[in-house]
Amino acid sequence: NTTRGSVLTFHEGQLFCCTHAGRIVSIESETGKIQWEYRYVPNEKRAERNRDLLPCLVSGTTLYAAPLDADRLIALDTY
């Protein structure tokens, strides 16, 4: 069993984290409080994948995430 970390993305006072465990979270950088959380259904076959960690990307107000445990790209409004 392999444990991997997450790469944080900083944008306009927010830290974004794709946990690769069914959650994407937004954290207030000054207080450390979770601003919002998005839950998705993880793919059970994630252990068979061999992909590098990808940080979340932000363009305008849209956050893009490609979780290791999902079969899709996820786009979320950051505000």
PDB file of all heavy atoms in Angstrom, residues 22-55:
ATOM      1  N   GLY A  22     -11.288  11.252  -2.407  1.00  0.00           N
ATOM      2  CA  GLY A  22     -12.699  11.587  -2.468  1.00  0.00           C
ATOM      3  C   GLY A  22     -13.079  13.008  -2.096  1.00  0.00           C
ATOM      4  O   GLY A  22     -14.255  13.321  -2.023  1.00  0.00           O
ATOM      5  N   ARG A  23     -12.082  13.897  -1.884  1.00  0.00           N
ATOM      6  CA  ARG A  23     -12.397  15.274  -1.479  1.00  0.00           C
ATOM      7  C   ARG A  23     -11.459  16.278  -2.128  1.00  0.00           C
ATOM      8  O   ARG A  23     -10.271  16.022  -2.295  1.00  0.00           O
ATOM      9  CB  ARG A  23     -12.256  15.431   0.032  1.00  0.00           C
ATOM     10  CG  ARG A  23     -13.273  14.698   0.820  1.00  0.00           C
ATOM     11  CD  ARG A  23     -13.056  14.787   2.304  1.00  0.00           C
ATOM     12  NE  ARG A  23     -12.489  16.059   2.726  1.00  0.00           N
ATOM     13  CZ  ARG A  23     -12.244  16.372   3.976  1.00  0.00           C
ATOM     14  NH1 ARG A  23     -12.513  15.544   4.942  1.00  0.00           N
ATOM     15  NH2 ARG A  23     -11.728  17.531   4.299  1.00  0.00           N
ATOM     16  N   ILE A  24     -12.016  17.443  -2.422  1.00  0.00           N
ATOM     17  CA  ILE A  24     -11.247  18.618  -2.823  1.00  0.00           C
ATOM     18  C   ILE A  24     -11.658  19.698  -1.843  1.00  0.00           C
ATOM     19  O   ILE A  24     -12.854  19.890  -1.599  1.00  0.00           O
ATOM     20  CB  ILE A  24     -11.559  19.039  -4.265  1.00  0.00           C
ATOM     21  CG1 ILE A  24     -11.197  17.912  -5.243  1.00  0.00           C
ATOM     22  CG2 ILE A  24     -10.821  20.328  -4.631  1.00  0.00           C
ATOM     23  CD1 ILE A  24     -11.713  18.121  -6.648  1.00  0.00           C
ATOM     24  N   VAL A  25     -10.703  20.386  -1.244  1.00  0.00           N
ATOM     25  CA  VAL A  25     -11.032  21.389  -0.238  1.00  0.00           C
ATOM     26  C   VAL A  25     -10.379  22.732  -0.547  1.00  0.00           C
ATOM     27  O   VAL A  25      -9.325  22.804  -1.166  1.00  0.00           O
ATOM     28  CB  VAL A  25     -10.636  20.950   1.198  1.00  0.00           C
ATOM     29  CG1 VAL A  25     -11.429  19.735   1.628  1.00  0.00           C
ATOM     30  CG2 VAL A  25      -9.153  20.679   1.295  1.00  0.00           C
ATOM     31  N   SER A  26     -11.048  23.791  -0.079  1.00  0.00           N
ATOM     32  CA  SER A  26     -10.527  25.145  -0.131  1.00  0.00           C
ATOM     33  C   SER A  26     -10.277  25.591   1.301  1.00  0.00           C
ATOM     34  O   SER A  26     -11.161  25.479   2.153  1.00  0.00           O
ATOM     35  CB  SER A  26     -11.534  26.084  -0.799  1.00  0.00           C
ATOM     36  OG  SER A  26     -11.123  27.428  -0.655  1.00  0.00           O
ATOM     37  N   ILE A  27      -9.085  26.083   1.563  1.00  0.00           N
ATOM     38  CA  ILE A  27      -8.674  26.471   2.911  1.00  0.00           C
ATOM     39  C   ILE A  27      -8.291  27.946   2.906  1.00  0.00           C
ATOM     40  O   ILE A  27      -7.530  28.394   2.045  1.00  0.00           O
ATOM     41  CB  ILE A  27      -7.470  25.628   3.373  1.00  0.00           C
ATOM     42  CG1 ILE A  27      -7.825  24.139   3.310  1.00  0.00           C
ATOM     43  CG2 ILE A  27      -7.000  26.034   4.766  1.00  0.00           C
ATOM     44  CD1 ILE A  27      -6.625  23.226   3.372  1.00  0.00           C
ATOM     45  N   GLU A  28      -8.806  28.706   3.858  1.00  0.00           N
ATOM     46  CA  GLU A  28      -8.421  30.106   4.033  1.00  0.00           C
ATOM     47  C   GLU A  28      -6.965  30.124   4.470  1.00  0.00           C
ATOM     48  O   GLU A  28      -6.613  29.542   5.501  1.00  0.00           O
ATOM     49  CB  GLU A  28      -9.317  30.773   5.073  1.00  0.00           C
ATOM     50  CG  GLU A  28      -8.873  32.148   5.511  1.00  0.00           C
ATOM     51  CD  GLU A  28      -8.822  33.163   4.384  1.00  0.00           C
ATOM     52  OE1 GLU A  28      -9.758  33.231   3.580  1.00  0.00           O
ATOM     53  OE2 GLU A  28      -7.820  33.892   4.328  1.00  0.00           O
ATOM     54  N   SER A  29      -6.103  30.766   3.690  1.00  0.00           N
ATOM     55  CA  SER A  29      -4.665  30.697   3.964  1.00  0.00           C
ATOM     56  C   SER A  29      -4.257  31.386   5.269  1.00  0.00           C
ATOM     57  O   SER A  29      -3.302  30.967   5.913  1.00  0.00           O
ATOM     58  CB  SER A  29      -3.858  31.275   2.796  1.00  0.00           C
ATOM     59  OG  SER A  29      -4.146  32.646   2.629  1.00  0.00           O
ATOM     60  N   GLU A  30      -4.966  32.418   5.685  1.00  0.00           N
ATOM     61  CA  GLU A  30      -4.584  33.131   6.914  1.00  0.00           C
ATOM     62  C   GLU A  30      -5.049  32.426   8.181  1.00  0.00           C
ATOM     63  O   GLU A  30      -4.384  32.474   9.204  1.00  0.00           O
ATOM     64  CB  GLU A  30      -5.127  34.562   6.882  1.00  0.00           C
ATOM     65  CG  GLU A  30      -4.396  35.435   5.878  1.00  0.00           C
ATOM     66  CD  GLU A  30      -4.841  36.884   5.952  1.00  0.00           C
ATOM     67  OE1 GLU A  30      -5.447  37.276   6.975  1.00  0.00           O
ATOM     68  OE2 GLU A  30      -4.587  37.613   4.993  1.00  0.00           O
ATOM     69  N   THR A  31      -6.209  31.766   8.118  1.00  0.00           N
ATOM     70  CA  THR A  31      -6.770  31.158   9.329  1.00  0.00           C
ATOM     71  C   THR A  31      -6.655  29.641   9.363  1.00  0.00           C
ATOM     72  O   THR A  31      -6.746  29.033  10.419  1.00  0.00           O
ATOM     73  CB  THR A  31      -8.267  31.518   9.470  1.00  0.00           C
ATOM     74  OG1 THR A  31      -8.985  30.911   8.381  1.00  0.00           O
ATOM     75  CG2 THR A  31      -8.475  33.015   9.491  1.00  0.00           C
ATOM     76  N   GLY A  32      -6.503  29.023   8.190  1.00  0.00           N
ATOM     77  CA  GLY A  32      -6.455  27.571   8.120  1.00  0.00           C
ATOM     78  C   GLY A  32      -7.827  26.917   8.154  1.00  0.00           C
ATOM     79  O   GLY A  32      -7.937  25.692   8.176  1.00  0.00           O
ATOM     80  N   LYS A  33      -8.884  27.720   8.133  1.00  0.00           N
ATOM     81  CA  LYS A  33     -10.242  27.174   8.169  1.00  0.00           C
ATOM     82  C   LYS A  33     -10.669  26.698   6.783  1.00  0.00           C
ATOM     83  O   LYS A  33     -10.371  27.337   5.780  1.00  0.00           O
ATOM     84  CB  LYS A  33     -11.230  28.230   8.661  1.00  0.00           C
ATOM     85  CG  LYS A  33     -11.049  28.590  10.111  1.00  0.00           C
ATOM     86  CD  LYS A  33     -12.093  29.588  10.550  1.00  0.00           C
ATOM     87  CE  LYS A  33     -11.881  29.957  12.007  1.00  0.00           C
ATOM     88  NZ  LYS A  33     -12.856  30.943  12.475  1.00  0.00           N
ATOM     89  N   ILE A  34     -11.376  25.582   6.765  1.00  0.00           N
ATOM     90  CA  ILE A  34     -11.907  25.071   5.506  1.00  0.00           C
ATOM     91  C   ILE A  34     -13.062  25.969   5.073  1.00  0.00           C
ATOM     92  O   ILE A  34     -14.006  26.194   5.832  1.00  0.00           O
ATOM     93  CB  ILE A  34     -12.362  23.611   5.648  1.00  0.00           C
ATOM     94  CG1 ILE A  34     -11.144  22.720   5.905  1.00  0.00           C
ATOM     95  CG2 ILE A  34     -13.121  23.159   4.401  1.00  0.00           C
ATOM     96  CD1 ILE A  34     -11.464  21.263   6.114  1.00  0.00           C
ATOM     97  N   GLN A  35     -12.963  26.514   3.848  1.00  0.00           N
ATOM     98  CA  GLN A  35     -14.014  27.383   3.311  1.00  0.00           C
ATOM     99  C   GLN A  35     -15.120  26.552   2.658  1.00  0.00           C
ATOM    100  O   GLN A  35     -16.281  26.848   2.800  1.00  0.00           O
ATOM    101  CB  GLN A  35     -13.434  28.364   2.303  1.00  0.00           C
ATOM    102  CG  GLN A  35     -12.527  29.383   2.946  1.00  0.00           C
ATOM    103  CD  GLN A  35     -12.034  30.395   1.937  1.00  0.00           C
ATOM    104  OE1 GLN A  35     -11.661  30.062   0.822  1.00  0.00           O
ATOM    105  NE2 GLN A  35     -12.029  31.654   2.342  1.00  0.00           N
ATOM    106  N   TRP A  36     -14.722  25.566   1.877  1.00  0.00           N
ATOM    107  CA  TRP A  36     -15.683  24.661   1.270  1.00  0.00           C
ATOM    108  C   TRP A  36     -15.003  23.343   0.963  1.00  0.00           C
ATOM    109  O   TRP A  36     -13.783  23.237   0.961  1.00  0.00           O
ATOM    110  CB  TRP A  36     -16.357  25.247   0.034  1.00  0.00           C
ATOM    111  CG  TRP A  36     -15.464  25.746  -1.060  1.00  0.00           C
ATOM    112  CD1 TRP A  36     -15.144  27.044  -1.325  1.00  0.00           C
ATOM    113  CD2 TRP A  36     -14.784  24.970  -2.057  1.00  0.00           C
ATOM    114  NE1 TRP A  36     -14.302  27.137  -2.402  1.00  0.00           N
ATOM    115  CE2 TRP A  36     -14.069  25.857  -2.876  1.00  0.00           C
ATOM    116  CE3 TRP A  36     -14.688  23.619  -2.339  1.00  0.00           C
ATOM    117  CZ2 TRP A  36     -13.289  25.437  -3.953  1.00  0.00           C
ATOM    118  CZ3 TRP A  36     -13.911  23.190  -3.408  1.00  0.00           C
ATOM    119  CH2 TRP A  36     -13.231  24.100  -4.199  1.00  0.00           C
ATOM    120  N   GLU A  37     -15.858  22.360   0.703  1.00  0.00           N
ATOM    121  CA  GLU A  37     -15.374  21.015   0.410  1.00  0.00           C
ATOM    122  C   GLU A  37     -16.257  20.418  -0.678  1.00  0.00           C
ATOM    123  O   GLU A  37     -17.477  20.593  -0.661  1.00  0.00           O
ATOM    124  CB  GLU A  37     -15.459  20.200   1.697  1.00  0.00           C
ATOM    125  CG  GLU A  37     -15.423  18.715   1.514  1.00  0.00           C
ATOM    126  CD  GLU A  37     -15.593  17.999   2.834  1.00  0.00           C
ATOM    127  OE1 GLU A  37     -14.580  17.787   3.496  1.00  0.00           O
ATOM    128  OE2 GLU A  37     -16.749  17.668   3.184  1.00  0.00           O
ATOM    129  N   TYR A  38     -15.635  19.741  -1.620  1.00  0.00           N
ATOM    130  CA  TYR A  38     -16.365  19.036  -2.669  1.00  0.00           C
ATOM    131  C   TYR A  38     -16.033  17.556  -2.534  1.00  0.00           C
ATOM    132  O   TYR A  38     -14.863  17.186  -2.474  1.00  0.00           O
ATOM    133  CB  TYR A  38     -15.963  19.552  -4.057  1.00  0.00           C
ATOM    134  CG  TYR A  38     -16.598  18.783  -5.183  1.00  0.00           C
ATOM    135  CD1 TYR A  38     -17.915  19.027  -5.553  1.00  0.00           C
ATOM    136  CD2 TYR A  38     -15.891  17.808  -5.862  1.00  0.00           C
ATOM    137  CE1 TYR A  38     -18.509  18.317  -6.580  1.00  0.00           C
ATOM    138  CE2 TYR A  38     -16.475  17.088  -6.890  1.00  0.00           C
ATOM    139  CZ  TYR A  38     -17.785  17.347  -7.240  1.00  0.00           C
ATOM    140  OH  TYR A  38     -18.361  16.632  -8.260  1.00  0.00           O
ATOM    141  N   ARG A  39     -17.062  16.731  -2.455  1.00  0.00           N
ATOM    142  CA  ARG A  39     -16.864  15.277  -2.365  1.00  0.00           C
ATOM    143  C   ARG A  39     -17.262  14.633  -3.684  1.00  0.00           C
ATOM    144  O   ARG A  39     -18.268  14.990  -4.272  1.00  0.00           O
ATOM    145  CB  ARG A  39     -17.707  14.691  -1.232  1.00  0.00           C
ATOM    146  CG  ARG A  39     -17.219  15.109   0.129  1.00  0.00           C
ATOM    147  CD  ARG A  39     -18.100  14.488   1.210  1.00  0.00           C
ATOM    148  NE  ARG A  39     -17.682  14.964   2.510  1.00  0.00           N
ATOM    149  CZ  ARG A  39     -17.036  14.218   3.395  1.00  0.00           C
ATOM    150  NH1 ARG A  39     -16.757  12.967   3.127  1.00  0.00           N
ATOM    151  NH2 ARG A  39     -16.681  14.716   4.553  1.00  0.00           N
ATOM    152  N   TYR A  40     -16.440  13.694  -4.114  1.00  0.00           N
ATOM    153  CA  TYR A  40     -16.737  12.919  -5.318  1.00  0.00           C
ATOM    154  C   TYR A  40     -16.590  11.438  -4.975  1.00  0.00           C
ATOM    155  O   TYR A  40     -15.980  11.079  -3.964  1.00  0.00           O
ATOM    156  CB  TYR A  40     -15.810  13.311  -6.478  1.00  0.00           C
ATOM    157  CG  TYR A  40     -14.343  13.149  -6.165  1.00  0.00           C
ATOM    158  CD1 TYR A  40     -13.685  11.954  -6.425  1.00  0.00           C
ATOM    159  CD2 TYR A  40     -13.612  14.181  -5.594  1.00  0.00           C
ATOM    160  CE1 TYR A  40     -12.343  11.800  -6.123  1.00  0.00           C
ATOM    161  CE2 TYR A  40     -12.273  14.036  -5.291  1.00  0.00           C
ATOM    162  CZ  TYR A  40     -11.645  12.845  -5.563  1.00  0.00           C
ATOM    163  OH  TYR A  40     -10.317  12.689  -5.259  1.00  0.00           O
ATOM    164  N   VAL A  41     -17.173  10.595  -5.809  1.00  0.00           N
ATOM    165  CA  VAL A  41     -17.083   9.153  -5.574  1.00  0.00           C
ATOM    166  C   VAL A  41     -15.749   8.656  -6.117  1.00  0.00           C
ATOM    167  O   VAL A  41     -15.485   8.754  -7.317  1.00  0.00           O
ATOM    168  CB  VAL A  41     -18.253   8.411  -6.261  1.00  0.00           C
ATOM    169  CG1 VAL A  41     -18.121   6.911  -6.061  1.00  0.00           C
ATOM    170  CG2 VAL A  41     -19.576   8.918  -5.741  1.00  0.00           C
ATOM    171  N   PRO A  42     -14.879   8.158  -5.240  1.00  0.00           N
ATOM    172  CA  PRO A  42     -13.578   7.672  -5.700  1.00  0.00           C
ATOM    173  C   PRO A  42     -13.711   6.376  -6.493  1.00  0.00           C
ATOM    174  O   PRO A  42     -14.619   5.584  -6.258  1.00  0.00           O
ATOM    175  CB  PRO A  42     -12.786   7.422  -4.414  1.00  0.00           C
ATOM    176  CG  PRO A  42     -13.676   7.741  -3.282  1.00  0.00           C
ATOM    177  CD  PRO A  42     -15.015   8.097  -3.799  1.00  0.00           C
ATOM    178  N   ASN A  43     -12.798   6.185  -7.420  1.00  0.00           N
ATOM    179  CA  ASN A  43     -12.721   4.956  -8.194  1.00  0.00           C
ATOM    180  C   ASN A  43     -11.959   3.927  -7.368  1.00  0.00           C
ATOM    181  O   ASN A  43     -10.836   4.173  -6.948  1.00  0.00           O
ATOM    182  CB  ASN A  43     -12.005   5.230  -9.516  1.00  0.00           C
ATOM    183  CG  ASN A  43     -11.917   4.012 -10.397  1.00  0.00           C
ATOM    184  OD1 ASN A  43     -12.082   2.877  -9.959  1.00  0.00           O
ATOM    185  ND2 ASN A  43     -11.652   4.247 -11.659  1.00  0.00           N
ATOM    186  N   GLU A  44     -12.546   2.788  -7.142  1.00  0.00           N
ATOM    187  CA  GLU A  44     -11.922   1.751  -6.308  1.00  0.00           C
ATOM    188  C   GLU A  44     -10.655   1.162  -6.919  1.00  0.00           C
ATOM    189  O   GLU A  44      -9.854   0.558  -6.229  1.00  0.00           O
ATOM    190  CB  GLU A  44     -12.927   0.637  -6.027  1.00  0.00           C
ATOM    191  CG  GLU A  44     -14.123   1.091  -5.220  1.00  0.00           C
ATOM    192  CD  GLU A  44     -13.752   1.654  -3.859  1.00  0.00           C
ATOM    193  OE1 GLU A  44     -12.826   1.123  -3.212  1.00  0.00           O
ATOM    194  OE2 GLU A  44     -14.372   2.643  -3.441  1.00  0.00           O
ATOM    195  N   LYS A  45     -10.444   1.338  -8.219  1.00  0.00           N
ATOM    196  CA  LYS A  45      -9.278   0.760  -8.883  1.00  0.00           C
ATOM    197  C   LYS A  45      -8.092   1.724  -8.922  1.00  0.00           C
ATOM    198  O   LYS A  45      -7.165   1.548  -9.676  1.00  0.00           O
ATOM    199  CB  LYS A  45      -9.639   0.338 -10.301  1.00  0.00           C
ATOM    200  CG  LYS A  45     -10.659  -0.770 -10.323  1.00  0.00           C
ATOM    201  CD  LYS A  45     -10.922  -1.221 -11.725  1.00  0.00           C
ATOM    202  CE  LYS A  45     -11.940  -2.339 -11.703  1.00  0.00           C
ATOM    203  NZ  LYS A  45     -12.177  -2.872 -13.025  1.00  0.00           N
ATOM    204  N   ARG A  46      -8.107   2.724  -8.068  1.00  0.00           N
ATOM    205  CA  ARG A  46      -7.046   3.738  -8.087  1.00  0.00           C
ATOM    206  C   ARG A  46      -5.671   3.157  -7.822  1.00  0.00           C
ATOM    207  O   ARG A  46      -4.671   3.675  -8.279  1.00  0.00           O
ATOM    208  CB  ARG A  46      -7.338   4.854  -7.110  1.00  0.00           C
ATOM    209  CG  ARG A  46      -7.259   4.433  -5.670  1.00  0.00           C
ATOM    210  CD  ARG A  46      -7.603   5.573  -4.774  1.00  0.00           C
ATOM    211  NE  ARG A  46      -7.595   5.104  -3.405  1.00  0.00           N
ATOM    212  CZ  ARG A  46      -7.593   5.859  -2.374  1.00  0.00           C
ATOM    213  NH1 ARG A  46      -7.607   7.150  -2.523  1.00  0.00           N
ATOM    214  NH2 ARG A  46      -7.589   5.367  -1.177  1.00  0.00           N
ATOM    215  N   ALA A  47      -5.575   2.063  -7.079  1.00  0.00           N
ATOM    216  CA  ALA A  47      -4.273   1.473  -6.758  1.00  0.00           C
ATOM    217  C   ALA A  47      -3.570   0.948  -8.001  1.00  0.00           C
ATOM    218  O   ALA A  47      -2.354   0.821  -8.018  1.00  0.00           O
ATOM    219  CB  ALA A  47      -4.449   0.345  -5.744  1.00  0.00           C
ATOM    220  N   GLU A  48      -4.328   0.666  -9.058  1.00  0.00           N
ATOM    221  CA  GLU A  48      -3.741   0.154 -10.284  1.00  0.00           C
ATOM    222  C   GLU A  48      -3.147   1.263 -11.153  1.00  0.00           C
ATOM    223  O   GLU A  48      -2.469   0.986 -12.123  1.00  0.00           O
ATOM    224  CB  GLU A  48      -4.804  -0.603 -11.079  1.00  0.00           C
ATOM    225  CG  GLU A  48      -5.352  -1.809 -10.337  1.00  0.00           C
ATOM    226  CD  GLU A  48      -6.505  -2.442 -11.087  1.00  0.00           C
ATOM    227  OE1 GLU A  48      -6.735  -2.080 -12.262  1.00  0.00           O
ATOM    228  OE2 GLU A  48      -7.172  -3.297 -10.498  1.00  0.00           O
ATOM    229  N   ARG A  49      -3.401   2.484 -10.802  1.00  0.00           N
ATOM    230  CA  ARG A  49      -2.916   3.615 -11.607  1.00  0.00           C
ATOM    231  C   ARG A  49      -1.509   4.015 -11.204  1.00  0.00           C
ATOM    232  O   ARG A  49      -1.147   3.983 -10.049  1.00  0.00           O
ATOM    233  CB  ARG A  49      -3.844   4.811 -11.435  1.00  0.00           C
ATOM    234  CG  ARG A  49      -5.201   4.519 -11.936  1.00  0.00           C
ATOM    235  CD  ARG A  49      -6.110   5.647 -11.556  1.00  0.00           C
ATOM    236  NE  ARG A  49      -7.437   5.233 -11.900  1.00  0.00           N
ATOM    237  CZ  ARG A  49      -8.237   5.931 -12.668  1.00  0.00           C
ATOM    238  NH1 ARG A  49      -7.863   7.082 -13.128  1.00  0.00           N
ATOM    239  NH2 ARG A  49      -9.426   5.479 -12.946  1.00  0.00           N
ATOM    240  N   ASN A  50      -0.757   4.440 -12.172  1.00  0.00           N
ATOM    241  CA  ASN A  50       0.595   4.918 -11.911  1.00  0.00           C
ATOM    242  C   ASN A  50       0.732   6.287 -12.574  1.00  0.00           C
ATOM    243  O   ASN A  50       1.183   6.398 -13.700  1.00  0.00           O
ATOM    244  CB  ASN A  50       1.629   3.939 -12.448  1.00  0.00           C
ATOM    245  CG  ASN A  50       3.025   4.306 -11.995  1.00  0.00           C
ATOM    246  OD1 ASN A  50       3.203   5.125 -11.117  1.00  0.00           O
ATOM    247  ND2 ASN A  50       4.014   3.699 -12.604  1.00  0.00           N
ATOM    248  N   ARG A  51       0.283   7.313 -11.874  1.00  0.00           N
ATOM    249  CA  ARG A  51       0.302   8.690 -12.373  1.00  0.00           C
ATOM    250  C   ARG A  51       0.980   9.565 -11.353  1.00  0.00           C
ATOM    251  O   ARG A  51       0.887   9.327 -10.158  1.00  0.00           O
ATOM    252  CB  ARG A  51      -1.138   9.188 -12.518  1.00  0.00           C
ATOM    253  CG  ARG A  51      -1.613   9.299 -13.883  1.00  0.00           C
ATOM    254  CD  ARG A  51      -3.021   9.832 -14.035  1.00  0.00           C
ATOM    255  NE  ARG A  51      -3.662  10.469 -12.912  1.00  0.00           N
ATOM    256  CZ  ARG A  51      -4.949  10.704 -12.860  1.00  0.00           C
ATOM    257  NH1 ARG A  51      -5.737  10.345 -13.838  1.00  0.00           N
ATOM    258  NH2 ARG A  51      -5.491  11.294 -11.822  1.00  0.00           N
ATOM    259  N   ASP A  52       1.649  10.593 -11.819  1.00  0.00           N
ATOM    260  CA  ASP A  52       2.230  11.571 -10.904  1.00  0.00           C
ATOM    261  C   ASP A  52       1.116  12.429 -10.313  1.00  0.00           C
ATOM    262  O   ASP A  52       0.052  12.587 -10.906  1.00  0.00           O
ATOM    263  CB  ASP A  52       3.217  12.483 -11.639  1.00  0.00           C
ATOM    264  CG  ASP A  52       4.479  11.754 -12.039  1.00  0.00           C
ATOM    265  OD1 ASP A  52       4.825  10.763 -11.370  1.00  0.00           O
ATOM    266  OD2 ASP A  52       5.108  12.182 -13.012  1.00  0.00           O
ATOM    267  N   LEU A  53       1.391  12.988  -9.127  1.00  0.00           N
ATOM    268  CA  LEU A  53       0.441  13.910  -8.521  1.00  0.00           C
ATOM    269  C   LEU A  53       0.322  15.170  -9.364  1.00  0.00           C
ATOM    270  O   LEU A  53       1.320  15.704  -9.846  1.00  0.00           O
ATOM    271  CB  LEU A  53       0.898  14.306  -7.118  1.00  0.00           C
ATOM    272  CG  LEU A  53       0.799  13.233  -6.054  1.00  0.00           C
ATOM    273  CD1 LEU A  53       1.396  13.744  -4.758  1.00  0.00           C
ATOM    274  CD2 LEU A  53      -0.638  12.830  -5.836  1.00  0.00           C
ATOM    275  N   LEU A  54      -0.886  15.639  -9.533  1.00  0.00           N
ATOM    276  CA  LEU A  54      -1.127  16.866 -10.274  1.00  0.00           C
ATOM    277  C   LEU A  54      -1.740  17.888  -9.332  1.00  0.00           C
ATOM    278  O   LEU A  54      -2.745  17.595  -8.682  1.00  0.00           O
ATOM    279  CB  LEU A  54      -2.105  16.611 -11.426  1.00  0.00           C
ATOM    280  CG  LEU A  54      -1.654  15.626 -12.487  1.00  0.00           C
ATOM    281  CD1 LEU A  54      -2.800  15.323 -13.438  1.00  0.00           C
ATOM    282  CD2 LEU A  54      -0.469  16.175 -13.242  1.00  0.00           C
ATOM    283  N   PRO A  55      -1.158  19.078  -9.247  1.00  0.00           N
ATOM    284  CA  PRO A  55      -1.779  20.105  -8.401  1.00  0.00           C
ATOM    285  C   PRO A  55      -3.058  20.612  -9.055  1.00  0.00           C
ATOM    286  O   PRO A  55      -3.253  20.488 -10.261  1.00  0.00           O
ATOM    287  CB  PRO A  55      -0.718  21.206  -8.347  1.00  0.00           C
ATOM    288  CG  PRO A  55       0.054  21.045  -9.611  1.00  0.00           C
ATOM    289  CD  PRO A  55       0.048  19.562  -9.906  1.00  0.00           C
TER     290      PRO A  55
END
